[in-house]
Each structure stands twice: as structure tokens, then as C-alpha cells.
């Protein structure tokens, strides 16, 4: 008779969470790339400054760092909180980038 082992479930959830984070990272990086192209368009056509790249670069650098922190939080046992923070930060990053692009191109 085999005993129940919760370690297998935890390791499976860690792999699943890492996979979900990679998918979220790829979606957010697609939005960041689109934002780079939109800023490039605004620089060429609307004569805005090159400094308009700064918020997009900040999002590109800070987002993976936050995902790493949330993975540490997940591994520490705060699984639901880490999942909620991951989804919330990804949503806010996308919304803020869209608002930023709408502001500089509109």
C-alpha cells in the first residue's frame, strides 16, 4: 500500500506555476514589443523625444524581476497570493503600456 505524499503535488504545482509564468511573460513581452514599435512610430511621425522609450524599458526590466520574486513567494508556500500578484502585475503592466501608447500617439 502506497502512502499519500504531498511533495509530489507541490513539485507538480511548482512546475505548473513556472509554466504559467513563462506564458504570462511571453504575452507581456509581446505587448512590450508592440509598445516599442508604437514609440518608434511616434518618434518618426510625431516628432516626440527618444526619452519616450524609458517607461517601456522600465517595464521590460522590472516585470521579470517581479516574476522571480513571485516564484520565490510561491515556493515559500504562499501559492494563492503569488498567483494573484502575478496575474495582477501582468494585467497592470499591459493596461499601463496601452494607456501610455494611447497618450503619446493620440
Amino acid at each position: 500500500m502506497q502512502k499519500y505524499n504531498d511533495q509530489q503535488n507541490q513539485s507538480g504545482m511548482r512546475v505548473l506555476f513556472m509554466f504559467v509564468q513563462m506564458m504570462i511573460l511571453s504575452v507581456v513581452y509581446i505587448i512590450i514589443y508592440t509598445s516599442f514599435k508604437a514609440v518608434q512610430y511616434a518618434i518618426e511621425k510625431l516628432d516626440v523625444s527618444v526619452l519616450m522609450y524609458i517607461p517601456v524599458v522600465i517595464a521590460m526590466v522590472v516585470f521579470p524581476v517581479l516574476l522571480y520574486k513571485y516564484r520565490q513567494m510561491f515556493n515559500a508556500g504562499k501559492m494563492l497570493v503569488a498567483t494573484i500578484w502575478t496575474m495582477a502585475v501582468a494585467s497592470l503592466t499591459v493596461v499601463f503600456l496601452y494607456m501610455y501608447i494611447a497618450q503619446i500617439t493620440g
Side-chain angles (χ1 to χ4, degrees), residues 30-67:
I30 289 170
I31 303 301
I32 288 173
Y33 175 74
T34 306
S35 300
F36 268 118
K37 287 302 202 180
V39 170
Q40 181 183 5
Y41 170 79
I43 288 171
E44 291 173 1
K45 303 289 183 194
L46 303 175
D47 267 347
V48 296
S49 173
V50 179
L51 295 176
M52 293 294 175
Y53 280 118
I54 291 175
V56 182
V57 170
I58 289 173
M60 185 178 71
V61 171
V62 170
F63 188 71
V65 172
L66 290 175
L67 287 183

Side-chain angles (χ1 to χ4, degrees), residues 66-77:
L66 290 175
L67 287 183
Y68 177 72
K69 292 293 184 185
Y70 300 143
R71 187 171 36 222
Q72 287 178 333
M73 186 186 302
F74 188 89
N75 292 337

